[in-house]
């Protein structure tokens, strides 16, 4: 018995662009007189660009200082800095084990979806040369509620035509694990500091089809 689909997060699961996000946000924070570090950046994992900006402004005591238009400009500038940094990505930027897992899922004809709040997700998949492995990518532009709300995972399930409780969701952020659990999917967490994942793995190199298959059989 196989899951109806496997649905992946992007950053921290397929590739690691967290540091590129941090550098872009740090430049925006510096320009607005706010100090952030990589520890604070962990609080931005898995949430949308606008929500990230809100948290940075709150952190710096500048909530309400900027108009909505100015906030949009700051978010757009951050995205431009990040998109420029994405030029560094190559096929070698895929995290260990992921390409082999995607290949196995393709051979087994198990549908694969993406549930990333990144508006740049399609371009990233193209840069990594793995876009063809994905049967459906939820469009972050049409998502109104950020993780831990399950909206984007439900959108991925709807796009694939599968039931959430018949799927596995894979995340590296607590907000993502909470979102997976909230929609009734079976959750796999990658990396340290996560709670609530049904299966918790230290890194992506342990994320293999035999591992997921055994997890699925035990979960059902």
């Amino acid at each position: 018995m196989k899951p109806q689909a496997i649905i992946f997060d992007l950053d921290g699961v397929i590739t690691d662009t967290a540091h590129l996000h941090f550098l872009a946000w740090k430049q925006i924070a510096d320009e607005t007189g706010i100090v952030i570090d990589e520890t604070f950046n962990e609080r931005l994992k898995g949430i949308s660009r606008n929500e990230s900006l809100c948290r940075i402004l709150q952190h710096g005591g500048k909530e309400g200082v900027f108009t909505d238009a100015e906030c949009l400009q700051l978010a757009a500038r951050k995205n431009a800095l990040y998109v420029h940094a994405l030029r560094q990505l190559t096929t070698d930027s895929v995290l260990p084990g992921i390409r082999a897992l995607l290949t196995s899922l393709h051979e087994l004809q198990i549908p694969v979806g993406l549930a990333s709040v990144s508006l740049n997700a399609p371009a990233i998949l193209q840069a990594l040369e793995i876009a063809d492995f994905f049967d459906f990518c939820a469009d972050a532009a049409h998502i109104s509620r950020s993780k831990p709300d399950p909206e984007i995972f439900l959108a991925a399930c709807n796009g694939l035509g599968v039931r959430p409780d018949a799927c596995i969701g894979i995340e590296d952020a607590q907000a993502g694990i909470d979102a997976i659990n909230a929609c009734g999917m079976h959750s796999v967490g990658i990396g340290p500091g996560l709670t609530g994942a049904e299966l918790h793995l230290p890194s992506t190199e342990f994320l293999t089809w035999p591992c997921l298959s055994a997890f699925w059989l035990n979960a059902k």
Side-chain angles (χ1 to χ4, degrees):
M1 188 176 182
K2 298 182 293 189
Q4 289 185 5
I6 309 292
I7 299 177
F8 292 80
D9 177 42
L10 179 60
D11 289 336
V13 175
I14 292 170
T15 189
D16 189 1
T17 62
H19 188 64
L20 301 182
H21 278 294
F22 168 65
L23 293 177
W25 277 128
K26 186 175 186 306
Q27 186 164 336
I28 297 300
D30 288 345
E31 291 170 2
T32 55
I34 297 172
V35 177
I36 64 171
D37 57 20
E38 296 209 51
T39 300
F40 175 82
N41 192 57
E42 290 295 308
R43 294 165 55 185
L44 307 182
K45 273 189 171 183
I47 63 173
S48 69
R49 190 184 310 154
N50 290 336
E51 178 64 22
S52 293
L53 179 60
C54 286
R55 292 193 184 188
I56 290 170
L57 295 178
Q58 288 170 356
H59 174 71
K62 297 199 174 186
E63 187 178 15
V65 171
F66 299 95
T67 66
D68 289 348
E70 288 170 334
C71 286
L72 288 174
Q73 289 175 349
L74 289 171
R77 175 157 164 70
K78 180 269 172 181
N79 187 55
L81 292 167
Y82 174 65
V83 169
H84 180 76
L86 289 178
R87 296 178 184 179
Q88 302 173 27
L89 292 181
T90 69
T91 55
D92 293 331
S93 301
V94 179
L95 287 172
I98 294 299
R99 193 180 296 275
L101 174 59
L102 291 172
T103 299
S104 295
L105 297 175
H106 178 73
E107 291 171 349
L108 291 163
Q109 298 184 322
I110 296 174
V112 173
L114 189 75
S116 170
V117 295
S118 172
L119 295 169
N120 299 296
I124 292 172
L125 294 182
Q126 291 289 348
L128 299 173
E129 296 184 12
I130 55 173
D132 289 346
F133 286 112
F134 288 82
D135 299 285
F136 182 80
C137 297
D139 187 348
H142 294 157
I143 301 301
S144 60
R145 298 180 300 279
S146 230
K147 302 169 187 175
D149 190 279
E151 182 182 7
I152 195 162
F153 281 100
L154 291 172
C157 290
N158 288 337
L160 290 168
V162 296
R163 301 192 327 270
D165 65 349
C167 301
I168 293 173
I170 305 173
E171 267 279 2
D172 75 313
Q174 188 61 52
I177 294 296
D178 293 343
I180 292 170
N181 291 338
C183 68
M185 296 172 66
H186 294 276
S187 54
V188 176
I190 306 295
L194 300 176
T195 60
E198 292 176 68
L199 174 64
H200 192 189
L201 300 174
S203 67
T204 57
E205 57 193 302
F206 295 91
L207 193 59
T208 63
W209 170 245
C211 173
L212 290 181
S213 179
F215 163 62
W216 183 254
L217 291 174
N218 288 330
K220 303 308 286 185

